[in-house]
Amino acid sequence: METNILKEGGLTADRNGTLNPPAPQYEFPEAADPANGRLQAEVSERCRVEAALRASELSYRRLFEAAKDGILILDVATGRIKDVNPFLVELLGFSHAEMSGKTVGELSPFKDVVSNEVMLERLQKDGYVRYEDLPLETRDGRQIAVEFVCNVYQAGDQNVIQCNVRDITKRKAGEMAALRLAAIVESSDDAIVGKNLNGIITTWNKGAERIFGYAADEIVGTSVLRLIPADRQDEENQILNKIKAGETMEHFETVRQTKAGQLIDISITVSPIKDSTGKVIGVSKVARDITERKALTEKISQMNVELEQRVLERTEQLQAANEEMEAFSYSVSHDLRAPLRHVQGFVSLLEKEAGASLSQASLRHLTTISQSAKRMGNLIDDLLAFSRIGRAEMQKVKVNLDQLVRETLVDFQAETKARNLSVTIHPLAAVRADRALLRLVLVNLISNAVKFTGKRAEAKIEIGCAPGGDGETVVYVRDNGAGFDPEYSGKLFGVFQRLHDQSEFAGTGIGLANVRRIIQRHGGRVWAEGALDRGATFYFSIPE
Amino acid sequence: MKKYHSTILIVDDDANDLVLIERAFRDIGVTGPIHTIIGGQEAIAYMLGHGKYSDRSVYAYPTFITTDLKMPGKDGFAVLEHLKINPEWAVIPTVVLTSSRDLDDIKKAYMLGASSYHVKPNTPDGLHQLLKVLHDYWMSCEVPEVDSAGRQLHTNSKGKLGERFAQT
């Protein structure tokens, strides 16, 4: 379909706006006489002028067609669109036909932003309307921003309204990005400083003001050397040389001077600013005040030194305590035992020398003295063993519990041969433990079970694994012996704690204390269940 | 040659132990001289023949010595050391009889030339048994020749072949 409005200008355009040059419209007959000649000349002249006009119009038309701004031509009276250039067709996505004959306000992109009446009124009054920033939605839903300017001007004897629509979407986005960047730079805690290749400061943010104390207007345009302490002035040249070579300096730690003359520790990253051709045209410097961080680092390293010192002291104290313990054990074994040996020795001598003349009661007293001395000797031995268990070095290996239990039980064979005692061994797991110490645990627990079932006609001992928490193996030793009063179960594992009379069941009361000590050294727990005369179950756990 | 008399030296800082050990020797049938010496200092004086110990007819060279280790002043190690650095004495069997089970003590005693090392038994019976074993063993051993005072004699090498023990 051809448009009529274009025909008036002698041009035709298809609906895509492509121009078709005008075909020659005037044909001149051969000149016959002078009058004809004048006429011919006149006609020729008019033709020339018209041709010139057409050429001029054509060149404007071409501008209209090729413009990189959108152009609308409006009817002055009605404000209806008379013409639209291809750029605007492209920009808004509506065809020439769709826009022709409508007012601007009727076009859907402008519907909510431009009122035809208001626009016309202002155009009539001022001959000029300008919207700096109109947000529009194109036919395909893109959000764009345009600058919209309308002018009324005279073309020949009639007024024409020409509207220019400039797409400013990209420019606006660029401006926004720049603003955002500027805001980020401005609000940064770090000092962000621009300078030129002569070291003259060109930009100065709030962070820089805060760190160095200078306001932007008092330092921009002056040399960066103002910030550098006298003994470091060389640094600036070194930095500039690197930058000129296109290099970046990252996290360079140095000292700078504030306006107040205070020296501060800073970490700076300096990078070249390059133009689009890659030429270095300036320097950007990001500086961070690390005074606090440095102070903290120093404090931490100082604390580390103190900590190490304390660890050393503690280790020394521990070593001293250990040595003292060794000396104590030595002394106990050597010095405490001697008097006991003497008591027994001299009682024995007395029995030999005066035995015949002593009464039965006196002889019993001598026996008691001797037995007491012997018992004390056993207590000392046990105490020494207990202290050794606490200090012995542990060698953890994989221990087959079943095998260890069977091996341990062999030790009790002689003792239990004459008794009616049954031992049941349930399936046992393997554990990681010190084998010798774990054996001591089993010896103590089994020995207790054997001892406290001594008065049972049918003694029963059970050894097995009980369900435990994650990552631990729980082992129990159960007997049907004398049991214990649960009220005192807390005392079971104490050193020299006994819940039964010596006359009833002999012992020093160190066995379970040893058990607990060994298990605790393995990171495990010990506990017991039982009731008086109803047997006891002792549990221990070994972590994996 | 076999000893024709035996003298036992008991060194200890504890008078009770001295009594008990001497009694135990007697109880197992030892009839020869037994000297009880209090402390290492005294023991060394005995060996050197200082003071009253110069009378070797009374204080003869011992056939064997039992010594305690932990004693004030010169201790059992000092006694062992003295024996070791005096070759004439180094040949006397010296038995350590102590309360200490300490492994370092045991090692050090043997390094200083102890003939054997025993922990004092806790019971009178145990002491009897131990001393009997020791006495019977050392009395059955050959020892270097001594004179009537117990002094060691130079060996007579006349008419023998081969290298002889170097005499001092």
Side-chain angles (χ1 to χ4, degrees):
Chain A
M1 186 183 92
E2 296 210 332
T3 53
N4 295 328
I5 46 164
L6 286 176
K7 281 221 166 133
E8 289 167 24
L11 287 165
T12 57
D14 59 26
R15 74 188 290 262
N16 294 328
T18 308
L19 281 175
N20 301 312
Q25 283 182 338
Y26 302 96
E27 282 180 21
F28 300 101
E30 293 279 321
D33 53 43
N36 272 358
R38 273 200 310 280
L39 183 65
Q40 197 173 347
E42 207 170 297
V43 168
S44 290
E45 176 58 20
R46 268 188 70 179
C47 278
R48 197 191 54 77
V49 169
E50 275 185 27
L53 263 173
R54 272 203 310 278
S56 165
E57 195 177 337
L58 182 62
S59 73
Y60 280 110
R61 191 72 208 168
R62 284 205 187 280
L63 274 179
F64 178 79
E65 302 287 341
K68 289 299 171 196
D69 281 337
I71 301 170
L72 286 169
I73 307 296
L74 305 185
D75 182 277
V76 178
T78 62
R80 290 190 185 279
I81 295 168
K82 289 171 73 179
D83 201 356
V84 184
N85 77 337
F87 185 87
L88 197 60
V89 167
E90 177 77 17
L91 181 67
L92 298 179
F94 291 93
S95 70
H96 196 280
E98 282 170 310
M99 289 192 268
S100 295
K102 296 208 172 91
T103 63
V104 173
E106 282 169 351
L107 293 176
S108 68
F110 294 92
K111 201 183 271 174
D112 299 325
V113 290
V114 175
S115 150
N116 198 43
E117 289 72 30
V118 173
M119 194 176 86
L120 281 180
E121 201 178 301
R122 282 175 60 185
L123 275 173
Q124 273 161 8
K125 205 170 117 215
D126 305 333
Y128 171 85
V129 171
R130 181 161 187 262
Y131 299 99
E132 256 182 59
D133 182 3
L134 287 184
L136 301 183
E137 188 178 304
T138 64
R139 187 176 211 169
D140 55 5
R142 275 183 306 118
Q143 301 295 328
I144 59 170
V146 298
E147 184 185 9
F148 188 83
V149 182
C150 292
N151 290 294
V152 183
Y153 62 91
Q154 258 190 317
D157 52 355
Q158 56 183 331
N159 285 337
V160 178
I161 302 174
Q162 183 190 328
C163 302
N164 284 34
V165 182
R166 175 164 293 175
D167 183 359
I168 57 168
T169 313
K170 274 189 187 155
R171 197 188 78 200
K172 263 191 77 183
E175 281 170 4
M176 285 300 291
L179 280 174
R180 222 173 278 136
L181 274 178
I184 290 170
V185 167
E186 196 59 18
S187 65
S188 167
D189 266 356
D190 293 340
I192 300 175
V193 177
K195 58 188 177 186
N196 66 18
L197 290 177
N198 297 321
I200 302 300
I201 292 167
T202 52
T203 65
W204 186 259
N205 76 338
K206 278 272 184 300
E209 190 173 326
R210 194 179 55 77
I211 291 174
F212 296 107
Y214 294 99
D217 55 7
E218 58 183 323
I219 196 151
V220 169
T222 66
S223 170
V224 77
L225 289 173
R226 288 170 79 179
L227 304 174
I228 304 179
D231 57 337
R232 289 181 186 259
Q233 296 268 325
D234 294 351
E235 271 179 19
E236 182 59 16
N237 269 335
Q238 290 167 14
I239 292 172
L240 283 177
N241 285 339
K242 279 200 164 191
I243 292 303
K244 282 173 190 162
E247 283 177 49
T248 295
M249 287 177 72
E250 280 184 14
H251 310 302
F252 170 63
E253 292 192 4
T254 182
V255 176
R256 289 292 179 261
Q257 194 164 1
T258 67
K259 187 182 180 185
Q262 189 195 348
L263 295 178
I264 51 171
D265 292 307
I266 61 166
S267 160
I268 56 179
T269 295
V270 192
S271 23
I273 299 171
K274 295 174 183 172
D275 66 10
S276 55
T277 66
K279 194 180 142 218
V280 178
I281 53 167
V283 185
S284 98
K285 185 171 89 173
V286 179
R288 174 165 296 181
D289 186 350
I290 54 165
T291 311
E292 266 176 45
R293 197 190 79 195
K294 271 202 117 165
L296 268 179
T297 311
E298 257 166 49
K299 201 172 172 192
I300 286 170
S301 64
Q302 193 190 334
M303 278 165 76
N304 271 338
V305 168
E306 275 171 25
L307 197 64
E308 261 167 47
Q309 185 60 35
R310 260 158 65 187
V311 167
L312 271 180
E313 277 168 24
R314 280 287 158 81
T315 311
E316 271 170 29
Q317 281 170 3
L318 258 178
Q319 268 169 353
N322 258 341
E323 275 163 26
E324 218 166 278
M325 188 69 204
E326 293 282 344
F328 172 74
S329 303
Y330 191 98
S331 157
V332 165
S333 68
H334 185 267
D335 299 338
L336 290 192
R337 220 193 297 273
L340 290 172
R341 212 172 47 235
H342 299 156
V343 169
Q344 284 179 281
F346 284 101
V347 164
S348 164
L349 287 185
L350 197 56
E351 272 173 349
K352 268 179 208 153
E353 289 167 6
S357 60
L358 285 176
S359 69
Q360 283 300 308
S362 299
L363 282 172
R364 274 203 307 278
H365 297 333
L366 283 181
T367 308
T368 304
I369 293 172
S370 175
Q371 280 174 351
S372 294
K374 195 175 167 192
R375 203 169 113 65
M376 184 157 177
N378 290 340
L379 287 171
I380 290 170
D381 286 343
D382 284 352
L383 199 55
L384 284 175
F386 180 68
S387 124
R388 268 199 299 276
I389 284 167
R391 288 173 294 134
E393 270 184 40
M394 295 214 299
Q395 288 184 324
K396 284 195 184 177
V397 293
K398 191 178 170 190
V399 178
N400 180 337
L401 262 179
D402 185 80
Q403 193 192 343
L404 188 62
V405 166
R406 287 174 200 283
E407 193 183 302
T408 309
L409 282 169
V410 173
D411 294 354
F412 294 93
Q413 265 172 8
E415 197 180 333
T416 58
K417 205 161 54 183
R419 284 179 49 190
N420 180 4
L421 184 142
S422 70
V423 180
T424 312
I425 305 171
H426 297 289
L428 291 165
V431 292
R432 266 192 73 77
D434 182 296
R435 199 173 194 279
L437 288 178
L438 196 59
R439 190 175 199 279
L440 206 50
V441 167
L442 290 169
V443 165
N444 276 301
L445 292 180
I446 293 170
S447 139
N448 270 1
V450 166
K451 182 160 67 181
F452 290 104
T453 54
K455 292 176 180 166
R456 290 283 180 267
E458 256 182 82
K460 281 181 185 153
I461 298 175
E462 256 182 84
I463 301 164
C465 277
D470 268 354
E472 62 172 11
T473 303
V474 175
V475 180
Y476 66 87
V477 176
R478 179 173 296 142
D479 66 61
N480 65 340
F484 58 88
D485 185 343
E487 201 185 322
Y488 300 114
S489 65
K491 288 185 166 184
L492 276 173
F493 297 96
V495 176
F496 295 149
Q497 284 287 352
R498 293 177 42 78
L499 299 186
H500 294 275
D501 276 350
Q502 184 69 29
S503 60
E504 210 179 352
F505 295 103
T508 54
I510 199 88
L512 289 179
N514 279 337
V515 167
R516 182 169 70 174
R517 194 158 210 186
I518 292 169
I519 296 303
Q520 279 178 345
R521 288 198 63 194
H522 282 85
R525 304 167 291 133
V526 286
W527 67 101
E529 287 167 2
L532 212 50
D533 218 28
R534 304 262 294 276
T537 309
F538 287 88
Y539 298 88
F540 65 86
S541 71
I542 302 267
E544 265 154 30
Chain B
M1 66 181 285
K2 296 270 190 244
K3 32 238 141 251
Y4 55 88
H5 82 228
S6 77
T7 296
I8 298 173
L9 211 60
I10 307 170
V11 183
D12 207 305
D13 63 321
D14 188 316
N16 288 331
D17 271 332
L18 287 175
V19 170
L20 290 172
I21 293 168
E22 188 186 357
R23 262 305 285 270
F25 271 125
R26 292 297 175 213
D27 286 351
I28 61 172
V30 173
T31 51
I34 297 176
H35 295 287
T36 56
I37 306 290
I38 292 237
Q41 188 69 53
E42 196 74 5
I44 290 166
Y46 186 110
M47 292 179 230
L48 294 172
H50 287 167
K52 66 174 178 180
Y53 300 118
S54 61
D55 183 0
R56 289 292 181 209
S57 64
V58 180
Y59 300 105
Y61 276 80
T63 318
F64 79 88
I65 301 172
T66 74
T67 179
D68 191 12
L69 277 185
K70 305 288 156 157
M71 296 183 284
K74 299 270 186 194
D75 61 7
F77 295 119
V79 172
L80 288 170
E81 220 163 350
H82 182 83
L83 292 170
K84 194 178 173 133
I85 59 176
N86 291 283
E88 202 178 325
W89 285 82
V91 293
I92 299 174
T94 309
V95 172
V96 172
L97 194 54
T98 173
S99 310
S100 169
R101 283 175 198 280
D102 187 274
L103 294 177
D104 289 322
D105 286 349
I106 295 171
K107 195 172 177 184
K108 191 174 174 190
Y110 279 115
M111 281 167 66
L112 290 174
S115 304
S116 60
Y117 187 110
H118 306 272
V119 176
K120 287 175 184 167
N122 287 331
T123 62
D125 284 350
L127 184 63
H128 278 93
Q129 280 165 25
L130 175 67
L131 292 187
K132 182 150 175 47
V133 169
L134 287 177
H135 182 262
D136 290 352
Y137 176 73
W138 286 112
M139 286 304 142
S140 74
C141 290
E142 298 287 349
V143 293
E145 195 183 12
V146 291
D147 63 15
S148 56
R151 245 189 308 272
Q152 286 182 25
L153 298 170
H154 281 192
T155 50
N156 183 356
S157 311
K158 272 183 196 155
K160 292 183 182 173
L161 295 172
E163 201 176 333
R164 311 307 306 177
F165 182 78
Q167 308 278 341
T168 50

